[in-house]
Amino acid sequence: VKVTGLLRASEPDGGFLRRNAPAANRWYSRDVIAIARTYGLSTVAPYFVDADATTGYAGWPAGGMTVVDFRNAHLSYALTWFSLAAMLMGFGVWTMRRPRSTR
């Protein structure tokens, strides 16, 4: 069997997730050990695989549900940091050229 997908570690708890309700078959976090215990499975891997959408399997579980798409914001980050550096340099030049006041 060839499985194409995204290999992910078990996620037993989440800081902002509700608690799993195994009796009602409601899983808010992917806790592999708890799922195995609920269904009476003895030997399970400590990870799960999110199947790829191109597997050709039309039933459930449906593949391709996990979408990994990172936003490319490198240009805006670079412009922000370079403008902050230029402002800091300008402030340093302004401070050095300003005459000191005597009290």
Side-chain angles (χ1 to χ4, degrees), residues 10 30-38 41 44-46:
S10 183
R30 293 179 175 140
D31 187 354
V32 174
I33 303 301
I35 293 170
R37 193 178 313 122
T38 300
L41 303 173
V44 295

Side-chain angles (χ1 to χ4, degrees), residues 4 6-7 14 16-18 25-26 30 35 37 40-42 44 50 52 54 67-68 72 81-82 86 88 92 94:
T4 305
L6 179 65
L7 182 73
F16 300 103
L17 298 176
R18 291 188 261 177
N25 198 25
R26 295 186 191 267
R30 293 179 175 140
I35 293 170
R37 193 178 313 122
L41 303 173
S42 59
V44 295
D50 283 341
D52 190 5
T54 60
V67 178
V68 179
N72 184 359
W81 287 106
F82 282 120
L88 182 62
W94 178 74

Side-chain angles (χ1 to χ4, degrees), residues 71-88:
R71 201 183 95 195
N72 184 359
H74 293 87
L75 179 62
S76 64
Y77 293 148
L79 291 175
T80 299
W81 287 106
F82 282 120
S83 62
L84 287 171
M87 288 189 306
L88 182 62

Side-chain angles (χ1 to χ4, degrees), residues 3 13-15 39 44 57 61 66 68 70 83-84 86-87 94 97 101:
V3 178
D13 294 315
Y39 290 104
V44 295
Y57 178 71
T66 301
V68 179
F70 296 108
S83 62
L84 287 171
M87 288 189 306
W94 178 74
R97 298 184 112 208
S101 61

Side-chain angles (χ1 to χ4, degrees), residues 60 86 91:
W60 286 98
F91 180 72

